[in-house]
PDB file of all heavy atoms in Angstrom:
ATOM      1  N   VAL A  68     -10.563 -50.465 -55.556  1.00 82.00           N
ATOM      2  CA  VAL A  68     -10.902 -51.605 -56.415  1.00 82.00           C
ATOM      3  C   VAL A  68     -12.118 -51.323 -57.262  1.00 82.00           C
ATOM      4  O   VAL A  68     -12.173 -51.428 -58.487  1.00 82.00           O
ATOM      5  CB  VAL A  68     -11.141 -52.734 -55.441  1.00 82.00           C
ATOM      6  CG1 VAL A  68     -11.818 -53.881 -56.292  1.00 82.00           C
ATOM      7  CG2 VAL A  68      -9.941 -53.284 -54.895  1.00 82.00           C
ATOM      8  N   SER A  69     -13.091 -50.594 -56.714  1.00 80.00           N
ATOM      9  CA  SER A  69     -14.277 -50.095 -57.435  1.00 80.00           C
ATOM     10  C   SER A  69     -13.893 -49.092 -58.495  1.00 80.00           C
ATOM     11  O   SER A  69     -14.502 -49.101 -59.593  1.00 80.00           O
ATOM     12  CB  SER A  69     -15.402 -49.595 -56.596  1.00 80.00           C
ATOM     13  OG  SER A  69     -14.929 -48.469 -55.805  1.00 80.00           O
ATOM     14  N   PHE A  70     -12.906 -48.267 -58.257  1.00 81.00           N
ATOM     15  CA  PHE A  70     -12.435 -47.264 -59.182  1.00 81.00           C
ATOM     16  C   PHE A  70     -11.813 -47.966 -60.329  1.00 81.00           C
ATOM     17  O   PHE A  70     -12.045 -47.724 -61.565  1.00 81.00           O
ATOM     18  CB  PHE A  70     -11.361 -46.280 -58.568  1.00 81.00           C
ATOM     19  CG  PHE A  70     -10.777 -45.371 -59.440  1.00 81.00           C
ATOM     20  CD1 PHE A  70     -11.403 -44.321 -59.966  1.00 81.00           C
ATOM     21  CD2 PHE A  70      -9.460 -45.522 -59.798  1.00 81.00           C
ATOM     22  CE1 PHE A  70     -10.829 -43.428 -60.894  1.00 81.00           C
ATOM     23  CE2 PHE A  70      -8.750 -44.655 -60.557  1.00 81.00           C
ATOM     24  CZ  PHE A  70      -9.516 -43.649 -61.224  1.00 81.00           C
ATOM     25  N   VAL A  71     -10.998 -49.045 -60.168  1.00 82.00           N
ATOM     26  CA  VAL A  71     -10.373 -49.741 -61.235  1.00 82.00           C
ATOM     27  C   VAL A  71     -11.401 -50.514 -61.949  1.00 82.00           C
ATOM     28  O   VAL A  71     -11.321 -50.630 -63.174  1.00 82.00           O
ATOM     29  CB  VAL A  71      -9.336 -50.711 -60.678  1.00 82.00           C
ATOM     30  CG1 VAL A  71      -8.777 -51.774 -61.652  1.00 82.00           C
ATOM     31  CG2 VAL A  71      -8.137 -49.950 -60.022  1.00 82.00           C
ATOM     32  N   LEU A  72     -12.382 -51.152 -61.259  1.00 79.00           N
ATOM     33  CA  LEU A  72     -13.479 -51.820 -61.940  1.00 79.00           C
ATOM     34  C   LEU A  72     -14.231 -50.894 -62.893  1.00 79.00           C
ATOM     35  O   LEU A  72     -14.591 -51.351 -63.964  1.00 79.00           O
ATOM     36  CB  LEU A  72     -14.361 -52.568 -61.034  1.00 79.00           C
ATOM     37  CG  LEU A  72     -13.906 -53.979 -60.480  1.00 79.00           C
ATOM     38  CD1 LEU A  72     -14.800 -54.490 -59.437  1.00 79.00           C
ATOM     39  CD2 LEU A  72     -13.794 -54.954 -61.658  1.00 79.00           C
ATOM     40  N   SER A  73     -14.614 -49.691 -62.375  1.00 78.00           N
ATOM     41  CA  SER A  73     -15.324 -48.848 -63.200  1.00 78.00           C
ATOM     42  C   SER A  73     -14.522 -48.377 -64.384  1.00 78.00           C
ATOM     43  O   SER A  73     -15.117 -48.031 -65.389  1.00 78.00           O
ATOM     44  CB  SER A  73     -15.904 -47.628 -62.458  1.00 78.00           C
ATOM     45  OG  SER A  73     -14.707 -46.978 -61.900  1.00 78.00           O
ATOM     46  N   GLY A  74     -13.264 -48.307 -64.275  1.00 81.00           N
ATOM     47  CA  GLY A  74     -12.471 -47.917 -65.417  1.00 81.00           C
ATOM     48  C   GLY A  74     -12.343 -49.034 -66.495  1.00 81.00           C
ATOM     49  O   GLY A  74     -12.069 -48.620 -67.625  1.00 81.00           O
ATOM     50  N   SER A  75     -12.526 -50.236 -66.027  1.00 80.00           N
ATOM     51  CA  SER A  75     -12.409 -51.303 -66.935  1.00 80.00           C
ATOM     52  C   SER A  75     -13.793 -51.817 -67.660  1.00 80.00           C
ATOM     53  O   SER A  75     -13.722 -52.540 -68.581  1.00 80.00           O
ATOM     54  CB  SER A  75     -11.886 -52.570 -66.198  1.00 80.00           C
ATOM     55  OG  SER A  75     -12.797 -52.984 -65.253  1.00 80.00           O
ATOM     56  N   ILE A  76     -14.730 -51.235 -67.247  1.00 76.00           N
ATOM     57  CA  ILE A  76     -16.134 -51.609 -67.826  1.00 76.00           C
ATOM     58  C   ILE A  76     -16.291 -51.160 -69.338  1.00 76.00           C
ATOM     59  O   ILE A  76     -16.769 -51.984 -70.032  1.00 76.00           O
ATOM     60  CB  ILE A  76     -17.241 -51.006 -66.965  1.00 76.00           C
ATOM     61  CG1 ILE A  76     -17.465 -51.886 -65.681  1.00 76.00           C
ATOM     62  CG2 ILE A  76     -18.591 -51.102 -67.701  1.00 76.00           C
ATOM     63  CD1 ILE A  76     -18.486 -51.553 -64.705  1.00 76.00           C
ATOM     64  N   PRO A  77     -15.832 -50.022 -69.686  1.00 78.00           N
ATOM     65  CA  PRO A  77     -16.007 -49.774 -71.148  1.00 78.00           C
ATOM     66  C   PRO A  77     -15.119 -50.635 -71.951  1.00 78.00           C
ATOM     67  O   PRO A  77     -15.389 -50.855 -73.198  1.00 78.00           O
ATOM     68  CB  PRO A  77     -15.409 -48.386 -71.292  1.00 78.00           C
ATOM     69  CG  PRO A  77     -15.508 -47.801 -69.835  1.00 78.00           C
ATOM     70  CD  PRO A  77     -15.335 -48.985 -68.885  1.00 78.00           C
ATOM     71  N   TYR A  78     -14.216 -51.363 -71.445  1.00 81.00           N
ATOM     72  CA  TYR A  78     -13.326 -52.343 -72.386  1.00 81.00           C
ATOM     73  C   TYR A  78     -13.987 -53.715 -72.344  1.00 81.00           C
ATOM     74  O   TYR A  78     -13.448 -54.582 -73.095  1.00 81.00           O
ATOM     75  CB  TYR A  78     -11.957 -52.430 -71.702  1.00 81.00           C
ATOM     76  CG  TYR A  78     -11.249 -51.059 -71.797  1.00 81.00           C
ATOM     77  CD1 TYR A  78     -10.975 -50.452 -70.664  1.00 81.00           C
ATOM     78  CD2 TYR A  78     -10.869 -50.602 -73.076  1.00 81.00           C
ATOM     79  CE1 TYR A  78     -10.352 -49.164 -70.710  1.00 81.00           C
ATOM     80  CE2 TYR A  78     -10.276 -49.260 -73.123  1.00 81.00           C
ATOM     81  CZ  TYR A  78     -10.065 -48.610 -71.955  1.00 81.00           C
ATOM     82  OH  TYR A  78      -9.413 -47.434 -71.992  1.00 81.00           O
ATOM     83  N   CYS A  79     -15.056 -53.955 -71.712  1.00 78.00           N
ATOM     84  CA  CYS A  79     -15.773 -55.179 -71.740  1.00 78.00           C
ATOM     85  C   CYS A  79     -16.763 -55.112 -72.997  1.00 78.00           C
ATOM     86  O   CYS A  79     -17.860 -54.597 -72.826  1.00 78.00           O
ATOM     87  CB  CYS A  79     -16.635 -55.472 -70.470  1.00 78.00           C
ATOM     88  SG  CYS A  79     -15.606 -55.604 -68.888  1.00 78.00           S
ATOM     89  N   THR A  80     -16.378 -55.887 -74.045  1.00 80.00           N
ATOM     90  CA  THR A  80     -17.153 -55.869 -75.145  1.00 80.00           C
ATOM     91  C   THR A  80     -18.089 -56.938 -75.212  1.00 80.00           C
ATOM     92  O   THR A  80     -19.167 -56.715 -75.913  1.00 80.00           O
ATOM     93  CB  THR A  80     -16.182 -55.996 -76.450  1.00 80.00           C
ATOM     94  OG1 THR A  80     -15.345 -57.232 -76.330  1.00 80.00           O
ATOM     95  CG2 THR A  80     -15.191 -54.708 -76.539  1.00 80.00           C
ATOM     96  N   GLU A  81     -17.930 -58.068 -74.616  1.00 83.00           N
ATOM     97  CA  GLU A  81     -19.014 -59.106 -74.623  1.00 83.00           C
ATOM     98  C   GLU A  81     -19.971 -58.872 -73.504  1.00 83.00           C
ATOM     99  O   GLU A  81     -19.758 -58.288 -72.538  1.00 83.00           O
ATOM    100  CB  GLU A  81     -18.371 -60.439 -74.319  1.00 83.00           C
ATOM    101  CG  GLU A  81     -17.326 -60.812 -75.408  1.00 83.00           C
ATOM    102  CD  GLU A  81     -16.664 -62.235 -75.196  1.00 83.00           C
ATOM    103  OE1 GLU A  81     -17.164 -62.858 -74.280  1.00 83.00           O
ATOM    104  OE2 GLU A  81     -15.623 -62.488 -75.839  1.00 83.00           O
ATOM    105  N   VAL A  82     -21.178 -59.453 -73.800  1.00 83.00           N
ATOM    106  CA  VAL A  82     -22.322 -59.191 -72.899  1.00 83.00           C
ATOM    107  C   VAL A  82     -22.057 -59.859 -71.529  1.00 83.00           C
ATOM    108  O   VAL A  82     -22.218 -59.158 -70.440  1.00 83.00           O
ATOM    109  CB  VAL A  82     -23.669 -59.664 -73.489  1.00 83.00           C
ATOM    110  CG1 VAL A  82     -24.784 -59.581 -72.465  1.00 83.00           C
ATOM    111  CG2 VAL A  82     -23.984 -58.954 -74.774  1.00 83.00           C
ATOM    112  N   HIS A  83     -21.535 -61.045 -71.555  1.00 85.00           N
ATOM    113  CA  HIS A  83     -21.281 -61.677 -70.286  1.00 85.00           C
ATOM    114  C   HIS A  83     -20.226 -61.046 -69.342  1.00 85.00           C
ATOM    115  O   HIS A  83     -20.357 -60.948 -68.247  1.00 85.00           O
ATOM    116  CB  HIS A  83     -20.957 -63.218 -70.538  1.00 85.00           C
ATOM    117  CG  HIS A  83     -22.210 -64.044 -71.123  1.00 85.00           C
ATOM    118  ND1 HIS A  83     -23.314 -64.133 -70.624  1.00 85.00           N
ATOM    119  CD2 HIS A  83     -22.204 -64.582 -72.376  1.00 85.00           C
ATOM    120  CE1 HIS A  83     -24.135 -64.859 -71.338  1.00 85.00           C
ATOM    121  NE2 HIS A  83     -23.370 -65.011 -72.511  1.00 85.00           N
ATOM    122  N   SER A  84     -19.081 -60.622 -70.055  1.00 83.00           N
ATOM    123  CA  SER A  84     -18.103 -59.973 -69.267  1.00 83.00           C
ATOM    124  C   SER A  84     -18.654 -58.593 -68.761  1.00 83.00           C
ATOM    125  O   SER A  84     -18.239 -58.215 -67.711  1.00 83.00           O
ATOM    126  CB  SER A  84     -16.815 -59.850 -70.098  1.00 83.00           C
ATOM    127  OG  SER A  84     -17.138 -59.093 -71.174  1.00 83.00           O
ATOM    128  N   PHE A  85     -19.445 -57.913 -69.608  1.00 82.00           N
ATOM    129  CA  PHE A  85     -19.946 -56.622 -69.124  1.00 82.00           C
ATOM    130  C   PHE A  85     -20.837 -56.894 -67.932  1.00 82.00           C
ATOM    131  O   PHE A  85     -20.800 -55.927 -66.952  1.00 82.00           O
ATOM    132  CB  PHE A  85     -20.801 -55.948 -70.308  1.00 82.00           C
ATOM    133  CG  PHE A  85     -21.347 -54.664 -70.022  1.00 82.00           C
ATOM    134  CD1 PHE A  85     -20.466 -53.466 -69.953  1.00 82.00           C
ATOM    135  CD2 PHE A  85     -22.719 -54.532 -69.800  1.00 82.00           C
ATOM    136  CE1 PHE A  85     -21.058 -52.336 -69.686  1.00 82.00           C
ATOM    137  CE2 PHE A  85     -23.224 -53.331 -69.505  1.00 82.00           C
ATOM    138  CZ  PHE A  85     -22.472 -52.209 -69.602  1.00 82.00           C
ATOM    139  N   LYS A  86     -21.834 -57.857 -67.955  1.00 84.00           N
ATOM    140  CA  LYS A  86     -22.703 -58.011 -66.843  1.00 84.00           C
ATOM    141  C   LYS A  86     -21.832 -58.502 -65.586  1.00 84.00           C
ATOM    142  O   LYS A  86     -22.119 -58.092 -64.480  1.00 84.00           O
ATOM    143  CB  LYS A  86     -23.638 -59.178 -67.156  1.00 84.00           C
ATOM    144  CG  LYS A  86     -24.763 -58.693 -68.122  1.00 84.00           C
ATOM    145  CD  LYS A  86     -25.667 -59.793 -68.454  1.00 84.00           C
ATOM    146  CE  LYS A  86     -26.714 -59.231 -69.415  1.00 84.00           C
ATOM    147  NZ  LYS A  86     -27.718 -60.375 -69.607  1.00 84.00           N
ATOM    148  N   ALA A  87     -20.825 -59.307 -65.762  1.00 84.00           N
ATOM    149  CA  ALA A  87     -19.962 -59.739 -64.569  1.00 84.00           C
ATOM    150  C   ALA A  87     -19.231 -58.457 -63.965  1.00 84.00           C
ATOM    151  O   ALA A  87     -19.218 -58.409 -62.865  1.00 84.00           O
ATOM    152  CB  ALA A  87     -19.046 -60.766 -65.086  1.00 84.00           C
ATOM    153  N   ALA A  88     -18.723 -57.526 -64.844  1.00 82.00           N
ATOM    154  CA  ALA A  88     -18.036 -56.497 -64.401  1.00 82.00           C
ATOM    155  C   ALA A  88     -18.923 -55.517 -63.629  1.00 82.00           C
ATOM    156  O   ALA A  88     -18.696 -55.015 -62.600  1.00 82.00           O
ATOM    157  CB  ALA A  88     -17.384 -55.820 -65.475  1.00 82.00           C
ATOM    158  N   ASN A  89     -20.165 -55.386 -64.093  1.00 81.00           N
ATOM    159  CA  ASN A  89     -21.169 -54.597 -63.461  1.00 81.00           C
ATOM    160  C   ASN A  89     -21.641 -55.267 -62.079  1.00 81.00           C
ATOM    161  O   ASN A  89     -21.769 -54.425 -61.043  1.00 81.00           O
ATOM    162  CB  ASN A  89     -22.467 -54.430 -64.321  1.00 81.00           C
ATOM    163  CG  ASN A  89     -22.200 -53.325 -65.359  1.00 81.00           C
ATOM    164  OD1 ASN A  89     -21.623 -52.274 -65.021  1.00 81.00           O
ATOM    165  ND2 ASN A  89     -22.749 -53.498 -66.510  1.00 81.00           N
ATOM    166  N   VAL A  90     -21.778 -56.459 -61.933  1.00 83.00           N
ATOM    167  CA  VAL A  90     -22.058 -57.157 -60.788  1.00 83.00           C
ATOM    168  C   VAL A  90     -20.980 -56.911 -59.715  1.00 83.00           C
ATOM    169  O   VAL A  90     -21.174 -56.651 -58.577  1.00 83.00           O
ATOM    170  CB  VAL A  90     -22.505 -58.576 -60.963  1.00 83.00           C
ATOM    171  CG1 VAL A  90     -22.538 -59.361 -59.670  1.00 83.00           C
ATOM    172  CG2 VAL A  90     -23.753 -58.820 -61.669  1.00 83.00           C
ATOM    173  N   LEU A  91     -19.735 -57.218 -60.195  1.00 83.00           N
ATOM    174  CA  LEU A  91     -18.604 -56.958 -59.200  1.00 83.00           C
ATOM    175  C   LEU A  91     -18.433 -55.522 -58.926  1.00 83.00           C
ATOM    176  O   LEU A  91     -18.208 -55.271 -57.707  1.00 83.00           O
ATOM    177  CB  LEU A  91     -17.371 -57.366 -59.959  1.00 83.00           C
ATOM    178  CG  LEU A  91     -16.997 -58.850 -60.150  1.00 83.00           C
ATOM    179  CD1 LEU A  91     -15.767 -59.099 -60.956  1.00 83.00           C
ATOM    180  CD2 LEU A  91     -16.893 -59.474 -58.828  1.00 83.00           C
ATOM    181  N   LEU A  92     -18.731 -54.508 -59.749  1.00 82.00           N
ATOM    182  CA  LEU A  92     -18.662 -53.160 -59.424  1.00 82.00           C
ATOM    183  C   LEU A  92     -19.746 -52.868 -58.368  1.00 82.00           C
ATOM    184  O   LEU A  92     -19.443 -52.129 -57.356  1.00 82.00           O
ATOM    185  CB  LEU A  92     -18.794 -52.303 -60.589  1.00 82.00           C
ATOM    186  CG  LEU A  92     -18.823 -50.834 -60.445  1.00 82.00           C
ATOM    187  CD1 LEU A  92     -17.407 -50.432 -59.845  1.00 82.00           C
ATOM    188  CD2 LEU A  92     -19.086 -50.076 -61.658  1.00 82.00           C
ATOM    189  N   ARG A  93     -20.986 -53.286 -58.516  1.00 81.00           N
ATOM    190  CA  ARG A  93     -21.994 -52.972 -57.575  1.00 81.00           C
ATOM    191  C   ARG A  93     -21.790 -53.569 -56.241  1.00 81.00           C
ATOM    192  O   ARG A  93     -21.996 -52.973 -55.231  1.00 81.00           O
ATOM    193  CB  ARG A  93     -23.441 -53.540 -58.227  1.00 81.00           C
ATOM    194  CG  ARG A  93     -23.886 -52.718 -59.394  1.00 81.00           C
ATOM    195  CD  ARG A  93     -25.209 -53.175 -59.903  1.00 81.00           C
ATOM    196  NE  ARG A  93     -26.011 -52.073 -59.326  1.00 81.00           N
ATOM    197  CZ  ARG A  93     -27.393 -52.243 -59.286  1.00 81.00           C
ATOM    198  NH1 ARG A  93     -27.911 -53.331 -59.889  1.00 81.00           N
ATOM    199  NH2 ARG A  93     -28.113 -51.339 -58.838  1.00 81.00           N
ATOM    200  N   SER A  94     -21.214 -54.847 -56.256  1.00 80.00           N
ATOM    201  CA  SER A  94     -20.972 -55.426 -54.964  1.00 80.00           C
ATOM    202  C   SER A  94     -19.786 -54.771 -54.235  1.00 80.00           C
ATOM    203  O   SER A  94     -19.781 -54.594 -52.991  1.00 80.00           O
ATOM    204  CB  SER A  94     -20.640 -56.952 -55.034  1.00 80.00           C
ATOM    205  OG  SER A  94     -19.552 -57.066 -55.897  1.00 80.00           O
ATOM    206  N   THR A  95     -18.799 -54.289 -54.928  1.00 79.00           N
ATOM    207  CA  THR A  95     -17.705 -53.545 -54.322  1.00 79.00           C
ATOM    208  C   THR A  95     -18.118 -52.187 -53.885  1.00 79.00           C
ATOM    209  O   THR A  95     -17.495 -51.587 -53.023  1.00 79.00           O
ATOM    210  CB  THR A  95     -16.450 -53.349 -55.293  1.00 79.00           C
ATOM    211  OG1 THR A  95     -16.776 -52.751 -56.432  1.00 79.00           O
ATOM    212  CG2 THR A  95     -15.803 -54.774 -55.534  1.00 79.00           C
ATOM    213  N   LEU A  96     -19.169 -51.664 -54.411  1.00 78.00           N
ATOM    214  CA  LEU A  96     -19.637 -50.365 -53.913  1.00 78.00           C
ATOM    215  C   LEU A  96     -20.444 -50.510 -52.722  1.00 78.00           C
ATOM    216  O   LEU A  96     -20.713 -49.544 -51.935  1.00 78.00           O
ATOM    217  CB  LEU A  96     -20.324 -49.540 -55.023  1.00 78.00           C
ATOM    218  CG  LEU A  96     -19.550 -49.058 -56.111  1.00 78.00           C
ATOM    219  CD1 LEU A  96     -20.430 -48.452 -57.222  1.00 78.00           C
ATOM    220  CD2 LEU A  96     -18.515 -48.052 -55.592  1.00 78.00           C
ATOM    221  N   GLN A  97     -21.091 -51.684 -52.475  1.00 79.00           N
ATOM    222  CA  GLN A  97     -22.021 -51.895 -51.435  1.00 79.00           C
ATOM    223  C   GLN A  97     -21.242 -52.095 -50.038  1.00 79.00           C
ATOM    224  O   GLN A  97     -21.706 -51.772 -49.075  1.00 79.00           O
ATOM    225  CB  GLN A  97     -22.826 -53.054 -51.615  1.00 79.00           C
ATOM    226  CG  GLN A  97     -23.995 -52.873 -52.522  1.00 79.00           C
ATOM    227  CD  GLN A  97     -24.958 -51.857 -52.080  1.00 79.00           C
ATOM    228  OE1 GLN A  97     -24.952 -50.735 -52.526  1.00 79.00           O
ATOM    229  NE2 GLN A  97     -25.723 -52.143 -51.065  1.00 79.00           N
ATOM    230  N   VAL A  98     -20.020 -52.628 -50.186  1.00 76.00           N
ATOM    231  CA  VAL A  98     -19.219 -53.084 -48.946  1.00 76.00           C
ATOM    232  C   VAL A  98     -18.818 -51.589 -48.254  1.00 76.00           C
ATOM    233  O   VAL A  98     -19.038 -51.492 -47.080  1.00 76.00           O
ATOM    234  CB  VAL A  98     -18.059 -53.754 -49.301  1.00 76.00           C
ATOM    235  CG1 VAL A  98     -17.007 -53.936 -48.148  1.00 76.00           C
ATOM    236  CG2 VAL A  98     -18.458 -55.258 -49.687  1.00 76.00           C
ATOM    237  N   PRO A  99     -18.250 -50.659 -49.034  1.00 74.00           N
ATOM    238  CA  PRO A  99     -17.865 -49.429 -48.196  1.00 74.00           C
ATOM    239  C   PRO A  99     -19.092 -48.748 -47.780  1.00 74.00           C
ATOM    240  O   PRO A  99     -18.996 -47.972 -46.739  1.00 74.00           O
ATOM    241  CB  PRO A  99     -17.090 -48.582 -49.276  1.00 74.00           C
ATOM    242  CG  PRO A  99     -17.283 -49.205 -50.499  1.00 74.00           C
ATOM    243  CD  PRO A  99     -17.675 -50.612 -50.339  1.00 74.00           C
ATOM    244  N   GLN A 100     -20.195 -48.817 -48.504  1.00 76.00           N
ATOM    245  CA  GLN A 100     -21.434 -48.014 -47.979  1.00 76.00           C
ATOM    246  C   GLN A 100     -21.793 -48.613 -46.753  1.00 76.00           C
ATOM    247  O   GLN A 100     -22.173 -47.923 -45.814  1.00 76.00           O
ATOM    248  CB  GLN A 100     -22.501 -48.305 -48.987  1.00 76.00           C
ATOM    249  CG  GLN A 100     -23.832 -47.752 -48.683  1.00 76.00           C
ATOM    250  CD  GLN A 100     -23.837 -46.244 -48.669  1.00 76.00           C
ATOM    251  OE1 GLN A 100     -23.076 -45.552 -49.278  1.00 76.00           O
ATOM    252  NE2 GLN A 100     -24.641 -45.608 -47.847  1.00 76.00           N
ATOM    253  N   ALA A 101     -21.797 -49.970 -46.589  1.00 78.00           N
ATOM    254  CA  ALA A 101     -22.124 -50.593 -45.262  1.00 78.00           C
ATOM    255  C   ALA A 101     -21.102 -50.187 -44.214  1.00 78.00           C
ATOM    256  O   ALA A 101     -21.541 -49.917 -43.033  1.00 78.00           O
ATOM    257  CB  ALA A 101     -22.186 -52.129 -45.374  1.00 78.00           C
ATOM    258  N   LEU A 102     -19.788 -50.243 -44.590  1.00 75.00           N
ATOM    259  CA  LEU A 102     -18.870 -49.812 -43.576  1.00 75.00           C
ATOM    260  C   LEU A 102     -18.926 -48.418 -43.119  1.00 75.00           C
ATOM    261  O   LEU A 102     -18.838 -48.035 -41.850  1.00 75.00           O
ATOM    262  CB  LEU A 102     -17.417 -50.165 -44.136  1.00 75.00           C
ATOM    263  CG  LEU A 102     -16.941 -51.542 -44.325  1.00 75.00           C
ATOM    264  CD1 LEU A 102     -15.707 -51.649 -44.857  1.00 75.00           C
ATOM    265  CD2 LEU A 102     -16.909 -52.197 -42.858  1.00 75.00           C
ATOM    266  N   ILE A 103     -19.272 -47.492 -44.095  1.00 75.00           N
ATOM    267  CA  ILE A 103     -19.415 -46.038 -43.734  1.00 75.00           C
ATOM    268  C   ILE A 103     -20.579 -45.898 -42.800  1.00 75.00           C
ATOM    269  O   ILE A 103     -20.615 -45.081 -41.949  1.00 75.00           O
ATOM    270  CB  ILE A 103     -19.411 -45.169 -45.052  1.00 75.00           C
ATOM    271  CG1 ILE A 103     -18.108 -45.134 -45.665  1.00 75.00           C
ATOM    272  CG2 ILE A 103     -19.943 -43.827 -44.720  1.00 75.00           C
ATOM    273  CD1 ILE A 103     -18.125 -44.506 -47.041  1.00 75.00           C
TER     274      ILE A 103
END
Side-chain angles (χ1 to χ4, degrees):
V68 168
S69 62
F70 174 72
V71 170
L72 278 174
S73 65
S75 66
I76 284 181
Y78 299 109
C79 297
T80 56
E81 296 179 11
V82 175
H83 295 296
S84 63
F85 181 76
K86 287 181 181 179
N89 277 320
V90 168
L91 285 173
L92 179 62
R93 292 183 99 190
S94 63
T95 57
L96 288 174
Q97 285 298 103
V98 171
Q100 177 68 24
L102 288 174
I103 289 172

